[in-house]
Amino acid sequence: MSSPQCCANPPTLNPNSGAGHVEKLGGLDTYVTGSPDSKLAALLISDIFGYEAPNLRKLADKVAAAGFYVAVPDFFHGDPHVDGGRSLQEWINDHGVDKGFEEAKPVIQALKCKGITATGAVGFCWGAKVAVQLAKREFIQAAVLLHPSFVTVDDIKGVEVPVSVLGAEIDPVSPPALVKEFEEALTAKSE
């Protein structure tokens, strides 16, 4: 789960940030950027601040500049965790990662309908659990987890695609010891 440090300095959300645009994809409002002719997609799954975070959209634009079609869905349906009246735990209870996983599947299908032949998922904090769930069932071809929250060693053991885990040196949610356990679990896999 997100630590207090994560919530101390939320971004100023901006629905107009980024070089891309918002369209419906798999039933969700989704920030999309990049060439629609690309056969490779990156599905960026946000942290608790959602898909209107300017830095997330800047990152999406950079990934698009590398040749990917990038989709950043609004898994929170306009309800990111920012200066609200609910505690973080209450918000998380309303926005479970299992629901995010279920909602990601039609987005991936919509990408396939656009001609995408391979999709990688990039999950930030909350989104890392969604990405790892997708990687356990081969909905995607690769995953990157950044400051993963809610991810367990058992989750990692179930991963069926290449995965990279990016933790931080000072991270109470996914400390280096846990990231090391993830690495050991991945190394132990025979594939």
Side-chain angles (χ1 to χ4, degrees):
M1 172 182 354
S2 299
S3 65
Q5 297 91 332
C6 296
C7 299
N9 190 19
T12 301
L13 302 182
N14 181 351
N16 300 312
S17 64
H21 65 278
V22 174
E23 66 180 58
K24 288 282 188 193
L25 198 62
L28 297 177
D29 287 340
T30 303
Y31 176 76
V32 296
T33 184
S35 172
D37 297 326
S38 179
K39 300 297 179 199
L40 304 174
L43 175 66
L44 273 58
I45 307 169
S46 75
D47 59 17
I48 62 173
F49 301 119
Y51 88 126
E52 291 181 351
N55 284 343
L56 178 61
R57 288 188 176 188
K58 283 181 190 177
L59 181 60
D61 293 339
K62 285 186 179 200
V63 173
F68 293 87
Y69 185 75
V70 183
V72 188
D74 178 13
F75 289 110
F76 309 137
H77 303 274
D79 185 32
H81 187 270
V82 291
D83 300 331
R86 293 178 292 174
S87 72
L88 177 59
Q89 188 57 54
E90 290 172 321
W91 183 89
I92 288 171
N93 290 342
D94 291 341
H95 300 286
V97 292
D98 290 339
K99 183 178 179 196
F101 166 66
E102 290 301 323
E103 290 185 337
K105 292 187 284 187
V107 172
I108 293 168
Q109 185 58 42
L111 290 170
K112 288 179 182 177
C113 289
K114 287 181 173 278
I116 298 297
T117 58
T119 301
V122 181
F124 302 86
C125 192
W126 178 94
K129 178 75 171 197
V130 176
V132 85
Q133 294 295 81
L134 292 168
K136 287 163 62 171
R137 293 168 181 87
E138 297 187 29
F139 289 105
I140 56 175
Q141 285 64 56
V144 179
L145 315 177
L146 298 100
H147 169 63
S149 293
F150 309 107
V151 178
T152 67
V153 174
D154 285 340
D155 287 328
I156 295 296
K157 288 178 181 176
V159 167
E160 298 291 332
V161 301
V163 63
S164 180
V165 182
L166 306 175
E169 184 178 344
I170 303 171
D171 185 348
V173 176
S174 50
L178 179 59
V179 173
K180 181 71 174 165
E181 288 183 53
F182 292 165
E183 179 184 348
E184 291 167 357
L186 290 168
T187 302
K189 291 179 75 84
S190 61
E191 307 83 309

